Amino acid sequence: MSQKVRVRFAPSPTGNMHIGGLRTALFNWLFARHSGGTFLVRIEDTDRERSEEKYIKALLDALLWVGIESDEAPLFQSQRQGSYHAVVNSLLQSGNAYRCFCTSEEVEARVKAAGVTEEFYHYDNFCRNLPLLENETRSYGIRFAIPENIKRVEVSDLIRGHVVFERDQLDDFIIFRSDGTPMYNFAVVVDDNYSEITHIIRGEEHLSNTPKQILLYKACGFTVPLFAHLPMILAPDGSKLSKRHGAVDVLSYRNEGYLPDALINYIVRLGWAHGDQELFTRSEMIASFSIEAVGKKAAIFDHLKLAWMNGVYLRDVSPEVIIQLMALTDSANLFKKILNNNSHETVVEALRLYQSRVKTLVELEQEITAFFEGPATYNPEDVAKWVTPGTTATLLTTILQVIEPCQPFDALTVGTLIKSLCEQEGLKLVACAQPLRIALTGGASSPGVFELLALLQKEKSLARIKAFARSLAQ
Ligand code: GLU
């Protein structure tokens, strides 16, 4: 590739960043990183009514959280009005655009009167050759004049291949509104040319805009970039992905306690594959990514697989990173309490014991809170399975006697004592371990019981075992 790659992610701040937007950002970013190019972010805020400051912040926050950031200062369309005016004026002068005074009601009335019955009709070019009156006071929009000689527009898409749009699929479209603001198709062309964008990688829903943009590039005398339209992302039932299938907003994954690396690893496989590899580090993604390997077929967003992947990442991440990421979740305040009430080493150890047992950071916080607070009740099924009231109460009393003098109260020492007690009594370890787990956590499924004892330390461990033994005596 002779020209240096420059790509952009161009969200409109009319809502939060959703999964589809994140996939577009990621593929652009990977393409730039793979080819040693530049990745840019442009905020498309020309629609002043629908654009909101809070969405700009949310979009930039989401990008920051996943570690995909613009290589240059983000461009805001609202600050580029001068450029749009300059280019539209030159199009007016060259005859590639014209002022249109028609209201949509007038156009509709005319085309219906001419016998057009379709819901979507073409503009009838009423204003295309109107002479410009000197004392004109009516407000007007500006339309692009599709060149006379155009029979079709051909798009050579890097993913979809050769796509042809016939002339009758296009009409003289509006490029400037009557309030003096540019329309999407026009602003995007002016900005992509200004930023010297070489490849436009975006969602398939924009494919039908591409012939209009190509005509604009040519009329403005700009170099036409290459295009790649990414396949749709659907729900597992094949319908359009929406809230009813679970969260689609990127920041809600942060709030629920997903790890940014896990989310990115999951997203990269939506439409792109590298053999049957599922887990990728960022550098592996960058090294293997190519647009040619993006498929045409719609991708399926599967929450269960994403949760599984999050669990895989959560198992391996360091407790210190967990502490940092926890601060961004819905559990931040509850986790802060745990940090305040326990020593740092104790929290780190608790995270280490529990992190491989959950799928999200929020679940992790819930498990650890329950552990530190101690059992409010004992799981009846586990009790039924592992406890014989009289015998277990006696066993727990013996265990108490054995571990009470234990010094130091660490997993190895306390474990050795309990194991030799089991040997003496002719018991399998599980016969001691499960009632102990129920005593310490309320249930029989938990991390290693010796580690839990060491984490709680002697006083709390003994208190929980005594409380459970007492409950059995009642
Ligand atoms: N602003 C458009 C959107 O959010 C993207 C435009 C483009 O990528 O060309 O869908």
Side-chain angles (χ1 to χ4, degrees):
M1 214 170 293
S2 56
Q3 203 183 1
K4 236 182 171 323
V5 162
R6 286 174 68 82
V7 290
R8 68 357 177 232
F9 171 54
S12 307
T14 52
N16 288 332
M17 166 116 86
H18 52 78
I19 291 295
L22 178 59
R23 199 262 313 253
T24 303
L26 175 63
F27 283 16
N28 273 286
W29 184 82
L30 287 173
F31 184 68
R33 287 290 167 278
H34 179 85
S35 47
T38 304
F39 167 78
L40 303 175
V41 172
R42 180 174 69 232
I43 303 293
E44 305 221 308
D45 55 352
T46 47
D47 186 343
R48 300 310 294 161
E49 272 180 15
R50 291 176 59 229
S51 298
E52 288 190 44
E53 204 56 44
K54 67 171 183 200
Y55 294 133
I56 297 180
K57 186 177 172 323
L59 286 162
L60 296 175
D61 271 2
L63 289 174
L64 181 68
W65 175 61
V66 295
I68 296 181
E69 284 178 87
S70 190
D71 292 327
E72 295 172 8
L75 213 65
F76 287 79
Q77 287 192 323
S78 55
Q79 292 165 12
R80 298 197 17 84
Q81 296 304 322
S83 317
Y84 307 134
H85 283 283
V87 177
V88 84
N89 283 336
S90 75
L91 286 182
L92 282 170
Q93 257 161 29
S94 61
N96 285 301
Y98 59 90
R99 293 169 183 81
C100 174
F101 301 93
C102 306
T103 63
S104 46
E105 294 78 22
E106 285 166 356
V107 181
E108 185 177 343
R110 280 199 307 268
V111 292
K112 295 269 150 78
V116 175
T117 51
E118 286 92 4
E119 201 177 327
F120 297 102
Y121 45 80
H122 285 175
Y123 178 60
D124 60 357
N125 293 2
F126 187 82
C127 292
R128 186 160 167 147
N129 296 310
L130 280 190
L132 194 57
L133 302 174
E134 261 181 41
N135 54 355
E136 183 59 79
T137 54
R138 290 176 295 168
S139 71
Y140 58 83
I142 298 176
R143 286 184 188 271
F144 179 66
I146 301 225
E148 302 281 3
N149 56 354
I150 293 290
K151 294 207 169 49
R152 62 185 62 87
V153 181
E154 302 187 16
V155 182
S156 173
D157 190 277
L158 295 171
I159 295 169
R160 316 202 62 82
H162 192 64
V163 187
V164 177
F165 292 87
E166 295 299 337
R167 171 68 182 86
D168 63 10
Q169 291 173 263
L170 301 160
D171 71 352
D172 284 2
F173 52 96
I174 299 266
I175 54 176
F176 244 76
R177 299 183 186 89
S178 55
D179 67 1
T181 58
M183 294 290 283
Y184 157 72
N185 276 314
F186 179 72
V188 106
V189 165
V190 175
D191 289 338
D192 284 334
N193 176 70
Y194 170 80
S195 298
E196 299 177 2
I197 299 301
T198 55
H199 298 72
I200 293 185
I201 304 169
R202 61 186 172 195
E204 193 180 273
E205 67 278 13
H206 286 294
L207 184 61
S208 59
N209 289 318
T210 305
K212 299 180 188 174
Q213 293 176 13
I214 290 178
L215 290 174
L216 279 169
Y217 276 105
K218 291 186 173 159
C220 295
F222 299 158
T223 309
V224 184
L226 295 172
F227 291 92
H229 288 92
L230 306 174
M232 306 256 287
I233 302 177
L234 301 177
D237 63 5
S239 65
K240 195 167 172 271
L241 191 63
S242 75
K243 260 205 183 131
R244 82 192 148 87
H245 303 108
V248 285
D249 165 7
V250 172
L251 286 182
S252 57
Y253 286 95
R254 180 185 75 182
N255 302 345
E256 284 174 28
Y258 281 76
L259 305 182
D261 283 339
L263 182 61
I264 287 297
N265 192 154
Y266 179 69
I267 297 283
V268 81
R269 295 280 287 98
L270 293 178
W272 175 77
H274 184 63
D276 49 16
Q277 187 173 344
E278 288 285 0
L279 298 172
F280 295 84
T281 63
R282 292 273 169 130
S283 26
E284 282 172 338
M285 282 178 211
I286 292 171
S288 343
F289 188 79
S290 77
I291 284 291
E292 289 71 34
V294 176
K296 283 189 209 155
K297 237 179 64 200
I300 301 293
F301 186 75
D302 178 353
H303 278 91
L304 290 178
K305 190 169 164 199
L306 170 55
W308 164 79
M309 193 165 277
N310 203 50
V312 170
Y313 272 76
L314 197 45
R315 207 174 53 200
D316 293 335
V317 74
S318 88
E320 298 299 339
V321 170
I322 292 182
I323 292 172
Q324 280 169 22
L325 292 173
M326 195 72 94
L328 304 170
T329 68
D330 285 341
S331 282
N333 288 335
L334 295 168
F335 190 69
K336 218 188 259 168
K337 274 196 201 141
I338 298 180
L339 284 171
N340 289 340
N341 295 343
N342 297 281
S343 74
H344 190 76
E345 299 79 70
T346 306
V347 176
V348 164
E349 188 50 28
L351 291 174
R352 235 184 235 124
L353 291 181
Y354 277 93
Q355 70 185 96
S356 58
R357 309 179 60 84
V358 293
K359 297 268 191 298
T360 67
L361 296 175
V362 168
E363 274 176 44
L364 183 56
E365 174 276 314
Q366 287 163 353
E367 288 283 329
I368 289 180
T369 302
F371 172 69
F372 282 125
E373 282 177 355
T377 55
Y378 302 104
N379 180 308
E381 282 170 26
D382 292 342
V383 171
K385 183 161 179 201
W386 296 105
V387 171
T388 324
T391 328
T392 308
T394 314
L395 176 64
L396 291 175
T397 312
T398 318
I399 295 175
L400 281 169
Q401 283 161 2
V402 167
I403 62 175
E404 196 146 16
C406 177
Q407 206 63 270
F409 202 83
D410 59 24
L412 184 67
T413 319
V414 89
T416 311
L417 289 173
I418 292 175
K419 279 185 203 155
S420 58
L421 171 71
C422 287
E423 261 170 48
Q424 270 170 32
E425 303 277 325
L427 291 171
K428 284 195 181 139
L429 182 58
V430 71
C432 279
Q434 295 305 68
L436 269 179
R437 279 195 162 101
I438 298 173
L440 299 178
T441 67
S445 149
S446 76
V449 72
F450 306 144
E451 284 75 13
L452 291 182
L453 286 164
L455 186 60
L456 279 175
Q457 278 302 292
K458 191 184 289 183
E459 199 185 323
K460 279 191 189 154
S461 298
L462 297 184
R464 287 189 192 185
I465 299 169
K466 281 178 193 161
F468 184 44
R470 238 181 288 126
S471 80
L472 295 177
Q474 280 162 12

